[in-house]
Amino acid sequence: MTSFQEPSKAEASRGVVKKFAKGGTDWRANGDVSRGPQGLVITRLEVRPHGETGASVTSRMLRDVPVGAILDDVRYHLAMEELKGTPTVGAITSTVFTGQTPTRTADEIIAASTPTKAAPGRAALPDELMQAVAEGYIAESAAGKPRGAVKRLAAALDRPEPTVSGWVVKARRDGWLGPGAAGREGAEPGPRLLQANAEQTRERFGAEG
C-alpha cells in the first residue's frame, strides 16, 4: 500500500503535489510527486534497506520499486480527493460501494450504448461496457466471494475469460477501477466509476422530481 502526505508550502511552491511512502519485503521508499508538462512525475525518490541491520541498497531493491504503480496510486488518490469534494460523489464514497454483476451480455450492452470514438487500429469499448466491467468485477471480487472473479464476470458478459481479463486491466488503467495489488483479486471504484454513478444518481433524482 502507498501512503501519502501533503507537501509543505515550500514544496508545493516547487510543484510537489504529494509526498509518498511505500515498502517492500526488505526495502522502504519515499519521495515526491510533482505535476509537470507531461503529467505526474516522481521528482524525488529515496530508497533504503529494511529489516537487516547494516544492509545496503542493492540494484535488485531499486528494480523492485514499482514506480509506475506508485504514480497510478497518486493519480487515483488525487482524483478521489477532487471527486469527494462534490456533494453527490462525496455521499457515494462515504458508503461501501458493492457494485453489481451485469445482467446483460457484452453484446447487449454494446448494442444499447452510446458510440465511442475508437483509437486507431482497434474497436472502441463504450463507457457503458467499461462501467459494467468495473461494477461486475467489484461485485465478484468482494469479501466472502471465492476466487475466480474474472471467470464469473466473463460468464455473465458471455465473452472469453482472457478478453474480460484484458477489460479489467483496461478498467484499472482508464480510471474505472482503483489500483490493485499484484496477484490479488479485488478493487475499489475508480474516479470515472464514481463520477458516472454520481451523474446517474443526479439524473434519476431529477427525473423523479
Side-chain angles (χ1 to χ4, degrees), residues 48-64:
R48 61 189 184 279
H50 175 75
E52 184 179 344
T53 303
S56 58
V57 174
T58 65
S59 58
R60 194 269 305 158
M61 288 181 188
L62 295 176
R63 290 194 300 269
D64 282 351

Side-chain angles (χ1 to χ4, degrees), residues 52-122:
E52 184 179 344
T53 303
S56 58
V57 174
T58 65
S59 58
R60 194 269 305 158
M61 288 181 188
L62 295 176
R63 290 194 300 269
D64 282 351
V65 178
V67 173
I70 290 171
L71 286 174
D72 285 343
D73 288 346
V74 174
R75 290 187 188 98
Y76 175 73
H77 185 77
L78 290 172
M80 291 296 289
E81 281 189 336
E82 182 178 346
L83 284 175
K84 284 180 179 179
T86 62
T88 306
V89 177
I92 291 174
T93 55
S94 67
T95 62
V96 177
F97 191 100
T98 56
Q100 80 174 35
T101 303
T103 57
R104 298 180 295 168
T105 67
D107 286 341
E108 290 171 336
I109 295 170
I110 292 171
S113 66
T114 303
T116 302
K117 185 177 180 180
R122 65 180 63 186

